[in-house]
Amino acid sequence: MSLDTVGTLLAAIANLLHEGLWLLARADKSFWGPDEHEQVRALEEALDDAKKDFQELPPHVNGQVYYENDRKPESIAELESLHARFNLHIQNLRNWAAAGGAVNPVWAAETAHLRRLLHRAQCRAAARIFALGRESEPRCLGAFLVYRKQRAWAGGGGGGPDAATGGGGGEYGRRQLEELVACNAVGKFERFGDQDVAFVCDFCDGYLVWEDLESMPSLRSVDDRALARADPASPGGQQQQEPPAPPPAGEGVEHWQATGFALSTREEKSVVFAPLAIGNHVAPAPGQWRARVACPFCEDRYVLAQGDDEMEQIRYGHDENTFEDLAAFQGHLEWQHTALPRPALLPSARESCTVM
Ligand SMILES: [Zn+2]
Ligand SMILES: [Zn+2]
């Protein structure tokens, strides 16, 4: 059985990167072209990234010592295989240093690819520790990092992501863009199949899939209802100079939509605002690849209703509150958290929301 830990394997990988840089540093540079310089840059970036993750991830999982000494079998197996790949990769440079000649331009791309794999392996190692340590938290670590930022903004007063006034202007619009930046730090948007857009989380490998979407909208839709509600005396809130207030809490209506365009028909459609889904996703069930999603609105209401009964929250967070994929989550939002013509809305929607 291996005596390695996350820390020893990461150190061994860092040593390989250092060795690559050392081989390049001591070479005769008089005939160097762009490929050689590119190779140096690629190795330096890989090393910087690895160090950055090594410093930034442990605070989320009980600290450096805990992270370094971790030896969960999946994490060790992943890092061992990655170490072997890095070793093969650096062997190219050892051979090159012995034989001379030009650096193969393909290697730099390979360094960049391995750098990305190492980043994801570190994220997943941290996510495994996080998942074990927080049974009451359904979110994966990647989602939690986004969610925490969103909560901090919401708690900071006025203009948080939950202050549903829509529109792209000023502070509110800026925060929505920051939400997207936070999302891009924990995973990647990519085209998926012919028509879909997916977000792939670096921490849990879960996919969130927006079906039939031309491109991902970066702002929430303007919510006319929120505008109207903000000042009932002025229809549509048109005479307001101040940004309208968020809708009253606990009303059952939440601002979750963004407006995109269907790729197939070019028609407008409502989709779940990406940072809302990303900040609330849950690692895929075993054997699955689609991330699940926990409804934060139901969660909030439940926590409010139940107070501090932690066991109840655990039960709730893991079962009724979690949807099997993004489509199911959107269905729930449309059904339970969308404003309908007022008299028709609630209380029935609200009641069933608590049972769902
Ligand atoms: Zn995740
Ligand atoms: Zn809900």
Side-chain angles (χ1 to χ4, degrees), residues 127 139-144 186 199-208 278 281-284 291-292:
R139 291 169 187 80
C140 99
L141 176 55
F144 182 76
V186 303
F199 178 85
V200 192
C201 175
D202 286 340
F203 290 78
C204 69
D205 259 338
Y207 281 66
L208 290 162
I278 293 166
H281 78 267
V282 177
R292 294 167 293 163

Side-chain angles (χ1 to χ4, degrees), residues 9-10 12-14 16-17 50 74-90 110-111 113-124:
L9 286 165
L10 287 174
I13 291 171
L16 289 171
L17 290 167
E74 304 99 307
S75 300
I76 297 301
E78 268 186 24
L79 288 171
E80 274 175 350
S81 111
L82 207 47
H83 176 258
R85 289 183 70 172
F86 269 102
N87 192 36
L88 273 178
H89 180 56
I90 296 302
E110 198 180 308
T111 310
H113 179 61
L114 288 172
R115 163 189 166 193
R116 173 99 190 121
L117 294 183
L118 179 58
H119 169 69
R120 300 194 64 180
Q122 288 217 62
C123 289
R124 283 195 294 259

Side-chain angles (χ1 to χ4, degrees), residues 163-177:
T165 62
E171 176 74 358
Y172 183 63
R174 191 177 61 77
R175 287 213 179 143
Q176 292 186 73
L177 292 178

